[in-house]
Amino acid sequence: MIEEMFSQEPAFAGRMNPAEGVNDPLDKCMVIREIQDHGAPQVGGSMGKGTAIGDTDFDVVVFLNDHEPPFRQRIFDKMLAALKTVRGYSFIKKTRYSIRFKIRINRLTLDFDLLPAQNLLDHAKHSSDMARQQAVEVRHRMGNFARPSVFSTSLAEQTILFMKKKPDDVVKVIKLARHWNQQIRIDEKVHGRSYMVELVAAWAQKDQPVGSLFERFVRFLREMEDFSNLRIFFGHHYCKFSIPEDVWKQTPLVMDPCNPYNNLAEGITPDVIENFQSAATRSLAMIKNGLKDVEDLFFATDESDDDQEEKYDNDDVGKFDDKHGFFDGLKREYECLMPGGRYNY
């Protein structure tokens, strides 16, 4: 089955069509199920969720029957053997959880992360509600394992659907938050950083009036300014009582809305927290004191004025894919909201 999955020519080309209405094909996650009829791959990740802002890698989650995590080496060996038959394939590295590789199609090179996951459902019985039923089964299975994190990829479908259901006004501020986050220089690895920032941006709009995009972005910054005290729990797909006590007591807390064992802020060092908070404080101060240009908020926030000016001279650095006109909209809103040249948030 795995060999068949990667025998398409050119590699993945026929299996990676963007969702209807989506124009950027470079930030997706396909969910491929190993079921009798193979099924149709679902476009997910940042593109599937509608939060893509530029070029990233593809996350390909392969749901396997009759295999349980942690997956044995022979599973990865089969995947690697199948990948080697694909035209344009080049290996990057293997981790305990995934295979990283590139595919070159003509002049286009795409980066991939291939992650195995366990399929816990009978497709014939649950085809109309796969994501929810799969997540229910996974969370039940997690409770019986010492390391429930090994099941995280098996929740991929529900994770995608959680964000896809967010209204457009929330998705827009999430995109801005993602780009703002990318400008913060953090020297250490923060696992799930982009997803965590997405959740903070979504949480900042919870039970709030829609307001302007600029106001929604300020709400996000205020949450990030108080990152060390965050307590985020959406409660959509599981109740508070499903969260282990040792996880619930952690602060900051940014609970994965689909995984009651995963606090995305767990283990974040004080230095990283300080980076987030100081960057948000600087951005809010820039807003309050009057911006020369709204785009100033989306250049690296830890650089000198000379470094900032140098970035303006290089059109390829630090730029946001503004095909949706976000900056123009922010500029108009900012001009309306700042009487006397100041915005009082």
Side-chain angles (χ1 to χ4, degrees):
M1 166 60 198
I2 294 175
E3 286 81 356
E4 293 175 7
M5 197 179 301
F6 294 105
S7 64
Q8 308 301 314
E9 187 175 329
F12 297 105
R15 306 176 70 86
M16 301 193 70
N17 297 322
E20 184 177 357
V22 177
N23 298 315
D24 183 354
L26 295 179
D27 193 7
K28 315 178 193 179
C29 163
M30 284 200 316
V31 180
I32 304 176
R33 286 191 166 277
E34 185 182 1
I35 51 181
Q36 187 172 3
D37 62 0
H38 294 188
Q42 298 182 24
V43 178
S46 297
M47 168 164 274
K49 292 182 290 185
T51 60
I53 60 171
D55 297 355
T56 69
D57 60 357
F58 292 82
D59 289 337
V60 183
V61 181
V62 183
F63 285 82
L64 304 172
N65 293 325
D66 304 321
H67 295 285
E68 187 173 80
F71 296 100
R72 297 180 179 180
Q73 180 61 39
R74 66 185 184 89
I75 296 295
F76 291 99
D77 290 343
K78 283 188 175 182
M79 290 181 172
L80 283 168
L83 286 168
K84 289 177 181 178
T85 68
V86 175
R87 189 173 63 189
Y89 160 81
S90 60
F91 175 79
I92 299 177
K93 71 174 184 178
K94 177 188 171 298
T95 72
R96 288 185 299 168
Y97 307 106
S98 67
I99 298 171
R100 303 199 69 182
F101 62 97
K102 293 183 178 182
I103 295 288
R104 183 171 180 83
I105 305 174
N106 298 324
R107 296 182 179 181
L108 179 65
T109 299
L110 304 174
D111 292 341
F112 294 85
D113 279 324
L114 181 64
L115 306 97
Q118 183 181 15
N119 176 41
L120 296 172
L121 298 182
D122 181 337
H123 179 262
K125 295 180 180 179
H126 301 285
S127 59
S128 63
D129 196 16
M130 291 286 285
R132 188 182 70 84
Q133 289 295 334
Q134 168 81 9
V136 169
E137 293 295 328
V138 169
R139 285 191 286 268
H140 176 73
R141 191 70 61 93
M142 280 177 156
N144 299 320
F145 270 71
R147 290 177 57 228
S149 61
V150 298
F151 283 92
S152 295
T153 53
S154 299
L155 292 167
E157 291 164 305
Q158 192 170 65
T159 300
I160 291 165
L161 291 175
F162 171 80
M163 204 63 76
K164 283 186 73 172
K165 292 180 179 179
K166 295 298 178 188
D168 186 58
D169 59 278
V170 174
V171 172
K172 285 181 178 178
V173 76
I174 287 173
K175 290 185 177 184
L176 291 175
R178 282 173 57 92
H179 186 64
W180 178 87
N181 170 57
Q182 289 181 357
Q183 311 313 308
I184 303 173
R185 183 174 299 159
I186 295 177
D187 295 330
E188 57 190 274
K189 174 70 174 177
V190 180
H191 180 70
R193 173 177 165 183
S194 293
Y195 183 40
M196 179 180 67
V197 168
E198 287 185 18
L199 294 176
V200 174
W203 178 260
Q205 318 311 317
K206 187 176 174 62
D207 300 325
Q208 295 291 328
V210 174
S212 68
L213 179 57
F214 201 94
E215 290 171 313
R216 298 195 298 275
F217 184 63
V218 166
R219 290 178 199 151
F220 159 73
L221 291 176
R222 293 177 73 176
E223 293 287 344
M224 294 300 293
E225 187 181 32
D226 194 33
F227 190 94
S228 61
N229 296 311
L230 284 177
R231 300 286 300 174
I232 295 178
F233 167 56
F234 288 92
H236 286 30
H237 299 300
Y238 58 85
C239 64
K240 174 184 172 182
F241 301 107
S242 299
I243 304 173
E245 185 177 359
D246 62 321
V247 175
W248 181 251
K249 288 181 177 179
Q250 296 169 6
T251 301
L253 183 79
V254 182
M255 288 304 302
D256 185 327
C258 303
N259 184 348
Y261 298 89
N262 186 20
N263 171 19
L264 287 153
E266 181 179 5
I268 292 183
T269 65
D271 287 345
V272 172
I273 292 174
E274 175 58 28
N275 280 343
F276 280 141
Q277 294 186 158
S278 60
T281 297
R282 285 193 295 271
S283 293
L284 287 168
M286 291 171 66
I287 293 169
K288 194 168 186 178
N289 294 330
L291 288 168
K292 293 180 181 179
D293 192 322
V294 170
E295 289 194 43
D296 290 346
L297 290 170
F298 300 92
F299 286 110
T301 55
D302 58 351
E303 297 181 353
S304 67
D305 291 339
D306 290 340
D307 291 333
Q308 296 277 2
E309 290 177 3
E310 184 178 340
K311 283 205 168 196
Y312 280 109
D313 294 334
N314 185 348
D315 291 336
D316 296 327
V317 178
K319 288 297 184 181
F320 177 70
D321 181 7
D322 196 27
K323 64 187 176 185
H324 300 288
F326 287 162
F327 281 142
D328 288 341
L330 281 178
K331 289 175 184 177
R332 289 193 298 271
E333 292 174 357
Y334 183 72
E335 291 167 358
C336 294
L337 291 168
M338 48 178 283
R342 297 290 184 270
Y343 175 61
N344 295 315
Y345 57 85

